[in-house]
Amino acid sequence: MKNFTCSCGQPLFFENTQCLSCERQLGFDPVTLSMYSFSDENPHFSGSTPLKLCKNSADYGVCNWFVTDPKSSYCLSCGLNHTIPNLLEKKRRRWWKNLEHAKRRLIYSLLVLNLPVEGRANDPHGLAFSFIEDKRTNPRVSEEYVATGHLNGLITVNTAEADKVNREISRAYTGELYRTLLGHFRHESGHYYFDKLICSEELRYQFREFFGDERADYSAALKYYYANKKTMTHDPAMISRYAQSHPLEDWAEVWAHYLHMVDTLDTAAAYDQELGSSHLDDIDETLSKWSRLTIVLNALNRSMGLEDAYPFVLSALTLKKLRFVHGLIYPS
């Protein structure tokens, strides 16, 4: 991610809504991918048009993006929402803010990579997000169980995942090394872009060489995985244990790790780190820098008494899969 700076010179972060130095209001422009300070007297313009902040900024304080569609009151990111939590409850409003922060980081990465971000207003199977809770954390709702997942462009995230205690309980129960909100969004976006990018028989054939046959019974594979996951040994050639459940889940795991990689390298480059990279056309250089950067990240975390920031080992097969993903995004 870019290193943003206010017009007064103060460093800014992606989630900032106000400059801590000059106290001017801030907004992110998804067209220019930049943060701007503005005021009523000095608005931010797109061409000759002054832009306003998203309605979710004024109403709920959960967004800091400018509205770029003159026909909408919502920004590009919030305009993708299909279902949001019950905002009458303070805790759910806080969870929703966490969800929106993670979603906007995903959308930022997709825009940087020039991937299509089309909502359902223009595409019936376009990208949409549903944040729903179930009875495990809220007995007043009707849903018995809500699983985070994807179906025909709709990404559903269980609202309780926005609570770090609930999320850590789920991580420990499932035996995962890593579980974050942003990771959920990146993983599920992989399912969405599978159909967008792997759209020919030749690409499907290449996919099956690396990941396996995606036509294998998905429901049966997941049922077998969850019935046996406690005794299942992690195949070191796979990027995670969950990747072993089905070729489409392997794809989504690798896709998420690709987004982790390119965004973290871009951030490192923005802070003038030698191992950073904002030019990702050379995948071999990218993977080499990523390998070295993760060693540094993990060493820094250990120095602080924290768990590894990136607790994964990338096998030769996984590196081939990452190159495959890169080739789809940057076709030669």
Side-chain angles (χ1 to χ4, degrees):
M1 178 162 293
K2 287 182 182 179
N3 187 2
F4 303 105
T5 305
C6 181
S7 57
C8 73
Q10 174 74 16
L12 303 174
F13 295 100
F14 188 59
E15 290 79 16
N16 285 158
T17 58
Q18 185 179 40
C19 176
L20 296 178
S21 178
C22 69
E23 299 185 348
R24 294 180 73 187
Q25 199 166 8
L26 303 171
F28 178 79
D29 187 337
V31 174
T32 62
L33 298 176
S34 294
M35 189 87 75
Y36 298 93
S37 58
F38 69 99
S39 64
D40 291 339
E41 295 77 22
N42 296 287
H44 170 59
F45 285 85
S46 174
S48 60
T49 305
L51 296 184
K52 60 184 178 181
L53 282 180
C54 178
K55 192 172 188 294
N56 282 335
S57 171
D59 291 355
Y60 303 108
V62 299
C63 185
N64 65 345
W65 282 27
F66 286 113
V67 177
T68 52
D69 180 354
K71 297 177 290 185
S72 178
S73 298
Y74 295 96
C75 72
L76 171 63
S77 179
C78 291
L80 300 174
N81 286 342
H82 179 273
T83 308
I84 62 174
N86 179 4
L87 302 185
L88 296 177
E89 300 186 33
K90 183 179 291 187
K91 180 188 289 188
R92 272 67 189 179
R93 289 180 66 168
R94 186 173 68 250
W95 289 0
W96 183 41
K97 187 173 185 178
N98 294 340
L99 289 160
E100 292 296 337
H101 281 176
K103 174 159 67 74
R104 282 195 295 276
R105 279 190 173 262
L106 167 69
I107 301 302
Y108 173 90
S109 293
L110 300 178
L111 294 173
V112 166
L113 295 173
N114 291 316
L115 290 165
V117 181
E118 200 74 59
R120 297 201 160 184
N122 300 317
D123 179 356
H125 298 293
L127 194 57
F129 295 87
S130 186
F131 306 137
I132 307 175
E133 196 174 0
D134 62 38
K135 287 185 179 294
R136 291 175 295 172
T137 53
N138 189 348
R140 296 186 298 278
V141 300
S142 58
E143 291 80 3
E144 291 289 340
Y145 179 81
V146 172
T148 294
H150 166 267
L151 181 64
N152 297 328
L154 179 63
I155 292 175
T156 298
V157 179
N158 190 314
T159 307
E161 287 287 336
D163 178 73
K164 61 182 179 181
V165 174
N166 285 324
R167 193 167 61 251
E168 177 58 22
I169 291 171
S170 295
R171 187 201 66 79
Y173 176 75
T174 54
E176 295 173 318
L177 295 174
Y178 194 82
R179 191 180 183 98
T180 66
L181 267 184
L182 184 53
H184 281 314
F185 280 104
R186 285 174 171 165
H187 175 100
E188 299 305 335
S189 74
H191 291 298
Y192 174 72
Y193 284 102
F194 176 84
D195 289 326
K196 297 289 183 182
L197 298 177
I198 307 178
C199 51
S200 70
E201 279 304 311
E202 181 181 354
L203 288 174
R204 293 285 172 114
Y205 177 78
Q206 293 176 29
F207 172 88
R208 290 164 194 157
E209 278 192 297
F210 296 123
F211 295 91
D213 194 336
E214 82 285 357
R215 295 167 297 184
D217 191 313
Y218 182 82
S219 297
L222 268 289
K223 184 177 180 180
Y224 176 84
Y225 171 79
Y226 283 113
N228 296 277
K229 64 182 173 61
K230 290 186 178 180
T231 58
M232 185 179 293
T233 303
H234 176 209
D235 180 350
M238 306 292 276
I239 200 165
S240 69
R241 190 165 62 169
Y242 186 55
Q244 298 170 212
S245 61
H246 189 276
L248 290 176
E249 295 303 337
D250 186 15
W251 155 264
E253 288 285 88
V254 172
W255 174 271
H257 281 256
Y258 182 85
L259 295 186
H260 287 330
M261 177 177 69
V262 296
D263 190 53
T264 305
L265 286 168
D266 193 40
T267 302
Y271 284 89
D272 300 319
Q273 299 302 303
E274 181 182 351
L275 294 176
S277 177
S278 57
H279 305 289
L280 303 171
D281 52 336
D282 188 329
I283 185 59
D284 290 324
E285 181 184 357
T286 297
L287 291 172
S288 175
K289 285 190 171 184
W290 179 241
S291 176
R292 288 178 284 160
L293 181 61
T294 54
I295 292 172
V296 175
L297 289 173
N298 289 343
L300 289 171
N301 264 30
R302 292 174 190 180
S303 295
M304 294 291 293
L306 301 172
E307 297 293 330
D308 285 353
Y310 190 76
F312 302 95
V313 177
L314 303 184
S315 67
L317 177 58
T318 295
L319 293 176
K320 290 179 181 178
K321 293 173 182 176
L322 287 167
R323 287 186 175 92
F324 176 72
V325 171
H326 181 83
L328 293 170
I329 297 174
Y330 294 99
S332 56

